[in-house]
């Protein structure tokens, strides 16, 4: 082993060629290297998993240095994904219990971070949450639920529009002026085709994420893209904080997958 180390050092000092030096070690220690490589890859998988990074296989790991672009999903990756209720508006004539029960029923089995946050808030003052007799999820946009004689719709403006729900006069302008920074996610609520209010929730960027994005750029990643189902203003707000120039907003999970596949086919991701 000392002879191999001295030989390798000599080759590098004389030629300055790291590839030739590696070739010498490969020939001299072929068996050891053959055992060490899989162990190193396995160890890398373990260390990455501890940091919340799941690597599909060794091929993916070995091709990372060839990547020219990285695509991030916003919620839970660039942000904490732990939404906090910031504000609530309930129309006159609508009881607080009625409003929150509608949300609780619609989001009872939600797997989305937004839905979970709303359900957590809704059940604070409720002992029992009824089950919906009918349920439909609009991926990344909202949800419909029917319980008893009531039809409940939660989601973005498009979801309510698709269910023929109209906003009260001046409501949209009022919302735009009140939340003009665009940092919030607004979930609108309708019962039996009538707008009854909305909930405002906020998701914060992960600490140190802006520095991580900058480091990726320094490493030569020329294109960093953020994908999110959030509205345009919310996406622009988070992207601006993190220093990400390119983003896509109001995307469904299927649209995100299609976008990543498109980039993969170009060979830049």
């Amino acid at each position: 082993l000392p002879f191999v180390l001295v030989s390798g050092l000599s080759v590098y000092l004389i030629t300055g060629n790291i590839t030739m030096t590696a070739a010498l070690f490969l020939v001299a220690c072929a068996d050891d290297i053959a055992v060490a490589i899989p162990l190193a890859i396995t160890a890398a998988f373990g260390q990455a998993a501890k940091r919340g990074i799941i690597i599909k296989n060794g091929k993916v790991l070995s091709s990372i240095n060839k990547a020219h672009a990285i695509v991030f999903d916003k919620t839970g990756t660039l942000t904490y994904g732990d939404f906090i209720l910031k504000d609530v508006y309930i129309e006159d004539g609508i009881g607080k219990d009625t409003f929150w029960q509608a949300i609780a029923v619609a989001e009872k089995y939600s797997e989305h971070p937004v839905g979970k946050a709303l359900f957590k808030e809704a059940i604070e003052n409720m002992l029992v949450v009824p089950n919906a007799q009918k349920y439909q999820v609009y991926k990344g946009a909202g949800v419909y639920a029917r319980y008893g004689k009531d039809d409940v719709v939660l989601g973005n403006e498009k979801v309510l529009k698709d269910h023929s729900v109209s906003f009260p006069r001046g409501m949209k302008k009022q919302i735009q002026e009140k939340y003009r920074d665009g940092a919030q996610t607004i979930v609108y609520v309708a019962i039996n085709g009538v707008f009854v209010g909305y909930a405002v929730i906020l998701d914060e960027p992960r600490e140190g994420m802006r520095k991580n994005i900058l480091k990726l750029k320094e490493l030569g990643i020329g294109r960093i893209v953020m994908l999110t189902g959030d509205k345009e203003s919310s996406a622009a707000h988070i992207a601006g904080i993190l220093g990400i120039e390119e983003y896509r907003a109001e995307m469904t999970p299927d649209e995100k997958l299609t976008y990543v596949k498109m980039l993969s086919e170009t060979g830049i991701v």
Side-chain angles (χ1 to χ4, degrees), residues 58-131:
K59 182 179 179 181
V60 171
L61 185 64
S62 63
S63 63
I64 288 178
N65 67 325
K66 300 177 183 178
H68 301 291
I70 293 181
V71 179
F72 288 104
D73 186 45
K74 180 189 77 70
T75 304
T77 305
L78 298 175
T79 65
Y80 288 105
D82 187 15
F83 287 88
I84 301 172
L85 183 71
K86 302 297 290 186
D87 196 10
V88 174
Y89 169 81
I90 302 176
E91 281 277 87
D92 292 339
I94 303 298
K96 182 179 178 181
D97 291 342
T98 300
F99 178 82
W100 283 113
Q101 184 179 58
I103 290 178
V105 171
E107 301 289 13
K108 186 173 183 179
Y109 299 109
S110 177
E111 294 297 324
H112 194 282
V114 171
K116 289 181 177 180
L118 289 175
F119 180 73
K120 180 180 178 181
E121 188 69 29
I123 62 173
E124 285 193 356
N125 299 309
M126 298 181 62
L127 296 177
V128 180
V129 179
N131 289 320

Side-chain angles (χ1 to χ4, degrees), residues 210-247:
R210 182 180 176 88
K211 291 182 179 179
N212 292 337
I213 296 297
L214 180 60
K215 184 64 176 178
L216 287 173
K217 293 178 180 179
E218 291 174 351
L219 291 173
I221 302 298
R223 187 177 182 185
I224 298 175
V225 186
M226 181 187 79
L227 307 183
T228 179
D230 290 354
K231 62 181 181 179
E232 174 72 21
S233 58
S234 180
H237 177 78
I238 295 295
I241 290 175
L242 298 178
I244 297 176
E245 291 82 15
E246 187 175 353
Y247 63 89

Side-chain angles (χ1 to χ4, degrees), residues 36-265:
I37 291 176
L39 291 176
I41 292 175
T42 301
F45 285 175
Q47 290 298 316
K50 290 179 181 179
R51 291 165 172 78
I53 303 171
I54 305 301
I55 301 174
K56 187 175 182 180
N57 52 46
K59 182 179 179 181
V60 171
L61 185 64
S62 63
S63 63
I64 288 178
N65 67 325
K66 300 177 183 178
H68 301 291
I70 293 181
V71 179
F72 288 104
D73 186 45
K74 180 189 77 70
T75 304
T77 305
L78 298 175
T79 65
Y80 288 105
D82 187 15
F83 287 88
I84 301 172
L85 183 71
K86 302 297 290 186
D87 196 10
V88 174
Y89 169 81
I90 302 176
E91 281 277 87
D92 292 339
I94 303 298
K96 182 179 178 181
D97 291 342
T98 300
F99 178 82
W100 283 113
Q101 184 179 58
I103 290 178
V105 171
E107 301 289 13
K108 186 173 183 179
Y109 299 109
S110 177
E111 294 297 324
H112 194 282
V114 171
K116 289 181 177 180
L118 289 175
F119 180 73
K120 180 180 178 181
E121 188 69 29
I123 62 173
E124 285 193 356
N125 299 309
M126 298 181 62
L127 296 177
V128 180
V129 179
N131 289 320
Q133 288 85 47
K134 189 176 181 182
Y135 189 79
Q136 184 175 357
V137 175
Y138 307 104
K139 293 182 178 180
V143 61
Y144 160 82
R146 180 176 179 81
Y147 70 103
K149 296 181 180 180
D150 293 326
D151 292 311
V152 178
V153 178
L154 269 69
N156 59 25
E157 186 176 332
K158 182 179 183 302
V159 171
L160 265 67
K161 184 178 179 181
D162 290 343
H163 282 266
S164 302
V165 177
S166 299
F167 285 83
R169 179 177 294 181
M171 178 60 68
K172 290 184 181 179
K173 184 177 180 180
Q174 177 185 328
I175 292 173
Q176 290 173 354
E177 291 178 352
K178 188 174 183 180
Y179 308 108
R180 63 180 61 193
D181 63 1
Q184 307 84 358
T185 294
I186 302 176
V187 179
Y188 302 106
V189 184
I191 301 177
N192 296 326
V194 178
F195 174 84
V196 298
Y198 59 79
V200 181
I201 53 180
L202 187 65
D203 188 19
E204 295 287 349
R206 288 183 181 273
E207 185 178 354
M209 186 55 69
R210 182 180 176 88
K211 291 182 179 179
N212 292 337
I213 296 297
L214 180 60
K215 184 64 176 178
L216 287 173
K217 293 178 180 179
E218 291 174 351
L219 291 173
I221 302 298
R223 187 177 182 185
I224 298 175
V225 186
M226 181 187 79
L227 307 183
T228 179
D230 290 354
K231 62 181 181 179
E232 174 72 21
S233 58
S234 180
H237 177 78
I238 295 295
I241 290 175
L242 298 178
I244 297 176
E245 291 82 15
E246 187 175 353
Y247 63 89
R248 300 287 186 276
E250 299 183 35
M251 298 185 77
T252 66
D254 289 340
E255 288 173 339
K256 293 176 183 178
L257 181 60
T258 300
Y259 182 82
V260 172
K261 285 183 177 179
M262 181 270 293
L263 288 184
S264 298
E265 290 171 357

